[in-house]
Amino acid sequence: MVQPAGAVLLVHALQDADASDALEEALAAEGVVCSHVPVLRRRLLPAPGAAEDLAQRVAASPWLIWTSPYAARALAAHGVPGRCAPSRWPSMIAVGPATAAAVKTVGWCGSPLLPEQADAEGVVEVMRSALTGPTRLVWPRSADARPTIERFAASAGHQLDAWNLYDTVACPEARARLSAFDLPPAVVVVTSSKTVTLFSAALEASTRARWQKATVVSIGPITSASARRLGWTRVVEADEASRPALVQAVLRALGELGEAGRGP
């Protein structure tokens, strides 16, 4: 396929370099050349208890909520999955396919329920339909998590045990790496609201207008809304929060740019 000048930039979390490489490989198989720049990094926070205590709290909860792949990795880093007997694992809800895959990779068995919409609002809809009455839930999460799930749990009478396992901060080298581009890429791929926010913050004021001519490919509706709020007008959203869907969204974006370049 013929790409517009500048090709595709993947912006991501420092710890997601492997996932970014995998997305880059999948795009390369479609003839798309990519570069990537980490704009944020995740910091593991102290566990809210000893591993054995956390395992007991998980076992005592009928439900476990996952809203990011890194939450699963963070809980595994604290040694919790190996201390939970499989017979006592709770039912699970995961925000999307990538998160469900990470949950299995770190040792949790079972198939989480997935929402139709891969965001906190979608998780709330699954909770609304799957939880038949007030119950206890464990939610390993980012300290930056939106309060949507917490508010719903309180309103429905659920007991929510929320653990802040990590937070996200800007990569200090992101500005220099983005400033090194002679021309902004035609397409920028972002996989979270926080990623697009820190990407925007890392841009030099003098080049922002040029960067905002790029098409943003977004992993979901919350990320898309953040991109538009920050000034991007061309946003292509993946059909679901998964690598194959992101690849298809990038191909759609490049196709639209190619059509625009050809003119009437």
Side-chain angles (χ1 to χ4, degrees):
M1 96 185 279
V2 178
Q3 295 178 60
V8 175
L9 173 68
L10 313 177
V11 292
H12 58 89
L14 185 63
Q15 293 90 341
D16 290 346
D18 289 346
S20 183
D21 288 344
L23 179 57
E24 186 173 356
E25 290 175 6
L27 286 166
E30 299 288 344
V32 179
V33 179
C34 301
S35 55
H36 50 95
V37 173
V39 297
L40 64 90
R41 61 186 179 90
R42 299 189 181 95
R43 300 183 300 186
L44 189 66
L45 298 177
E52 193 61 42
D53 172 61
L54 297 181
Q56 290 176 4
R57 287 156 69 180
V58 168
S61 300
W63 288 91
L64 187 56
I65 299 174
W66 302 104
T67 50
S68 79
Y70 197 72
R73 299 180 195 127
L75 197 57
H78 290 305
V80 174
R83 289 175 167 83
C84 291
S87 61
R88 301 187 66 188
W89 281 340
S91 300
M92 296 183 288
I93 301 170
V95 71
T99 298
V103 167
K104 291 183 179 180
T105 298
V106 300
W108 298 95
C109 290
S111 297
L113 300 178
L114 299 176
E116 291 185 8
Q117 182 174 303
D119 55 23
E121 288 75 11
V123 170
V124 164
E125 289 307 308
V126 174
M127 293 170 66
R128 203 187 303 275
S129 61
L131 310 182
T132 56
T135 188
R136 179 183 173 91
L137 309 99
V138 168
W139 180 22
R141 65 181 186 180
S142 165
D144 310 311
R146 294 190 298 130
T148 306
I149 293 171
E150 197 163 11
R151 288 174 179 166
F152 171 74
S155 69
H158 300 306
Q159 183 181 351
L160 184 65
D161 195 1
W163 303 342
N164 292 335
L165 296 185
Y166 67 97
D167 65 3
T168 53
V169 295
C171 280
E173 66 272 21
R175 174 160 293 194
R177 293 186 63 175
L178 292 170
S179 297
F181 282 82
D182 293 328
L183 290 173
V187 173
V188 177
V189 182
V190 292
T191 54
S192 74
S193 179
K194 187 76 170 185
T195 302
V196 73
T197 299
L198 291 179
F199 163 62
S200 178
L203 296 174
E204 296 281 359
S206 60
T207 63
R208 181 179 303 277
R210 282 188 291 146
W211 277 91
Q212 289 183 333
K213 292 178 181 178
T215 297
V216 166
V217 170
S218 154
I219 199 167
I222 300 300
T223 305
S224 297
S226 294
R228 293 186 179 100
R229 175 177 54 80
L230 290 164
W232 276 270
T233 57
R234 291 199 294 265
V235 179
V236 175
E237 188 175 303
D239 292 337
E240 65 173 19
S242 68
R243 187 182 305 141
L246 270 176
V247 169
Q248 291 305 311
V250 170
L251 296 177
R252 287 203 309 274
L254 290 171
E256 290 172 8
L257 289 171
E259 290 294 331
R262 280 193 286 271

